[in-house]
Amino acid sequence: MSDSTPAGDAAPQRPAPQQAQPEPVTVRRAPKIPAFMAVGAVLGFFATLIVTGLFPADENVGFATLVAYFSIYGITIGVLIGAILGVILDRRSRKRARTLQAERETVDPAPVEGEPEQ
C-alpha cells in the first residue's frame, strides 16, 4: 500500500484565517452577587443565633424553636444586606472599567481520530 492518495480524494484545504480588525471591549472585575447573598445569609443566621442566646428562652417553646423562628428574619436581612453590598461593589467596579482593543479569532477544531471529515 502506498501513502499517497488520489487527487480526487484529497482533503479540502481550510481557508487561511482573515486578519480581524481590533474592536474595543470593556474589561472589569465584577463581584459575584449570589456569593455575597450566601455569605449574608450565613452571617444573618449566626447573628440570630447570638442575639437569641443573649436572652433567656421560654421553657414552653425552647431555644431551638426560637432560633428557627427568628432565623427567618435574620437570614432574610442578611441576604438583603449582602445583595445591597454586592450591587454597591458592582457599581464601583464599573468606574474602574478599562477599554482595550481585542481581535476576534475563529479557530476550527482539529478532526478527532475516527470521526468522519465533512
Side-chain angles (χ1 to χ4, degrees), residues 69-90:
Y69 177 73
F70 287 117
S71 289
I72 294 171
Y73 299 108
I75 291 173
T76 304
I77 291 170
V79 167
L80 182 64
I81 290 172
I84 290 170
L85 183 62
V87 168
I88 289 171
L89 291 176
D90 185 49

Side-chain angles (χ1 to χ4, degrees), residues 47-84:
T48 302
L49 186 64
I50 292 170
V51 171
T52 306
L54 294 176
F55 299 100
D58 186 8
E59 294 177 12
N60 296 332
V61 178
F63 180 73
T65 306
L66 286 175
V67 169
Y69 177 73
F70 287 117
S71 289
I72 294 171
Y73 299 108
I75 291 173
T76 304
I77 291 170
V79 167
L80 182 64
I81 290 172
I84 290 170

